Amino acid sequence: MNEALLRSLTPSVLAILVRRGADFAAAEDAVQDALVEAVRTWPDEQPRDPKGWLVTVAWRRFLDATRADAARRRREDRVEEEPGPGPAPSVDDTLQLYFLCAHPSLTASSAVALTLRAVGGLTTRQIAQAYLVPEATMAQRISRAKRTVSGVRFDQPGDVATVLRVLYLVFNEGYSGDVDLAAEAIRLTRQLAAAIDHPEVAGLLALMLLHHARRAARTAPDGSLVPLAEQDRGRWDTASIAEGVEILQTALARDRLGEFQAQAAIAALHADAPTAGETDWVQIVEWYDELAALTDSPVVRLNRAVAVGEADGPRAGLAALAALDDSLPRHAAVAAYLHERDGDLATAARLYAEAAEKASNLAERDHLTRQAARLNARESR
């Protein structure tokens, strides 16, 4: 069973059902039913036109559910609209569906959560982690969003800012999480940049390219994480870096700074340094100041504390960290790193172990556990 094929076809099939008049919640249920049927039958014989097959089955499931609903009489005229057995259109509907999910009837946060769940394929747990809220809270938010758009005609697309936020979170999950969605996020952002002349769209594309350029060096052959300072920079994708920097410079020249441009500027400074020791941390701190002013994000301030620790010394970094809530994800890991640089190995080892217990994925947990073990071994000598 080609799960990657099913995942890639799902947004387009969902978009086709929505355009044919299905409300979002009913369309999503119908597509899920079609996917279950595909998993059951395709191992024996995969259809020649997988997308057309999914559209046909999903539409039939939608019609079956509609007939059983109280609104059956108002919807029976759609029976004749069932798609024929021929090939389905080859147009990529995914980006359009992102805009449709950013519906004006939803708040920005609800639209992002709904799109990540329905189109991006992320789990409720992954979305909750991205938003720093409990999983139960995010589940309620997604359920409310589905109820809000249930029965709504998706003929009023949402705004660019919401779509950018979704693409950013999808990329982050693909880059560092359990589901590989980074390349898909880059592809869709390229489409958006080609269609819309917007500096923040360009900023997001530049940010993605600059981060993705380092991907090959982020893990060792055994799958363990390699920190930025220890990465083999010869494995970085110089073509992607050059493209990202060029896109960023063009966007910055328009003097309409946004958070994605500021993040891309930080990534560009890392990419520009021949070695970790030559990183311009002073400039990075200045960009984090800009970014904090734009977003007032605690995660940004956490990353800024690391940069301050590199630019002005670990005690300055710890002072910046002291102003933040210690329940923030990765707070313990940052504190451990700064304490280690300050020579307090016992405290650093304890904090690395604490951070490992809170880590959101196995690779990060293993890395932090090894860091704690390394320092404990040094302390026991």
Side-chain angles (χ1 to χ4, degrees):
M1 168 54 56
N2 192 335
E3 294 183 5
L5 174 62
L6 286 176
R7 188 183 304 121
S8 68
L9 292 175
T10 298
S12 185
V13 175
L14 184 56
I16 290 171
L17 265 65
V18 169
R19 284 206 305 269
R20 288 181 177 274
D23 69 65
F24 189 87
E28 185 184 18
D29 290 342
V31 172
Q32 291 303 316
D33 286 346
L35 293 175
V36 170
E37 185 68 11
V39 170
R40 188 180 69 81
T41 62
W42 285 14
D44 297 329
E45 183 179 3
Q46 182 169 314
R48 291 183 181 179
D49 178 19
K51 179 177 176 181
W53 187 96
L54 286 171
V55 170
T56 300
V57 172
W59 186 252
R60 286 173 177 163
R61 292 293 189 273
F62 166 70
L63 291 177
D64 289 343
T66 299
R67 293 189 187 101
D69 191 80
R72 175 179 57 84
R73 292 184 182 86
R74 296 193 304 272
R75 299 180 185 267
E76 280 184 341
D77 58 340
R78 293 183 184 141
V79 173
E80 301 302 323
E81 297 177 19
E82 180 179 325
S90 60
V91 176
D92 184 353
D93 300 292
T94 308
L95 188 58
Q96 179 190 13
L97 193 57
Y98 272 66
F99 272 95
L100 293 176
C101 287
H103 196 272
S105 64
L106 295 172
T107 64
S109 60
S110 293
V112 171
L114 177 63
T115 314
L116 290 174
R117 183 71 186 93
V119 188
L122 273 64
T123 65
T124 303
R125 177 182 60 81
Q126 291 168 322
I127 302 169
Q129 289 172 347
Y131 268 92
L132 310 181
V133 299
E135 184 175 350
T137 300
M138 183 52 65
Q140 292 175 353
R141 184 179 299 177
I142 293 172
S143 294
R144 284 196 302 269
K146 287 183 178 180
R147 287 196 299 270
T148 299
V149 300
S150 181
V152 170
R153 294 285 299 193
F154 279 73
D155 53 2
Q156 292 180 275
D159 67 345
V160 175
T162 301
V163 174
L164 288 179
R165 177 62 50 190
V166 175
L167 289 168
Y168 174 68
L169 291 174
V170 169
F171 176 81
N172 278 347
E173 192 61 42
Y175 188 68
S176 60
D178 302 323
V179 182
D180 188 355
L181 295 167
E184 173 69 358
I186 291 173
R187 183 183 71 83
L188 293 172
T189 307
R190 282 191 187 279
Q191 285 188 7
L192 188 57
I196 299 176
D197 183 18
H198 192 298
E200 273 294 82
V201 176
L204 179 58
L205 179 57
L207 175 64
M208 290 178 174
L209 290 170
L210 290 164
H211 276 303
H212 206 61
R214 303 200 301 258
R215 187 165 191 176
R218 291 184 71 248
T219 54
D222 62 0
S224 59
L225 290 180
V226 180
L228 177 60
E230 300 171 20
Q231 289 177 13
D232 177 2
R233 298 183 178 221
R235 298 184 66 196
W236 289 2
D237 184 345
T238 54
S240 290
I241 291 173
E243 182 185 5
V245 169
E246 181 180 0
I247 292 170
L248 173 63
Q249 288 175 339
T250 302
L252 290 175
R254 300 178 66 175
D255 199 23
R256 289 169 54 194
L257 184 64
E259 62 174 296
F260 295 123
Q261 295 169 74
Q263 287 191 58
I266 293 168
L269 286 167
H270 283 298
D272 188 53
T275 65
E278 296 173 85
T279 304
D280 190 341
W281 287 106
V282 173
Q283 269 204 73
I284 287 176
V285 171
E286 292 174 354
W287 275 111
Y288 270 122
D289 289 339
E290 295 276 5
L291 188 55
L294 288 166
T295 65
D296 195 30
S297 164
V299 175
V300 169
R301 297 188 185 281
L302 185 70
N303 291 331
R304 179 185 178 278
V306 176
V308 169
E310 298 289 353
D312 301 327
R315 294 194 179 181
L318 287 168
L321 189 64
L324 302 175
D325 186 344
D326 61 8
S327 66
L328 276 172
R330 296 189 172 87
H331 185 285
V334 170
Y337 173 73
L338 292 171
H339 276 291
E340 180 183 358
R341 288 202 59 226
D342 196 39
D344 187 352
L345 302 189
T347 299
R350 175 179 59 78
L351 288 168
Y352 275 130
E354 178 184 324
E357 293 178 0
K358 299 176 180 177
S360 60
N361 62 69
L362 183 60
E364 184 179 357
R365 186 180 308 126
D366 288 346
H367 171 72
L368 293 167
T369 300
R370 282 193 294 270
Q371 295 293 84
R374 173 179 58 82
L375 294 185
N376 284 327
R378 286 177 59 182
E379 282 287 280
S380 63
R381 290 174 187 169

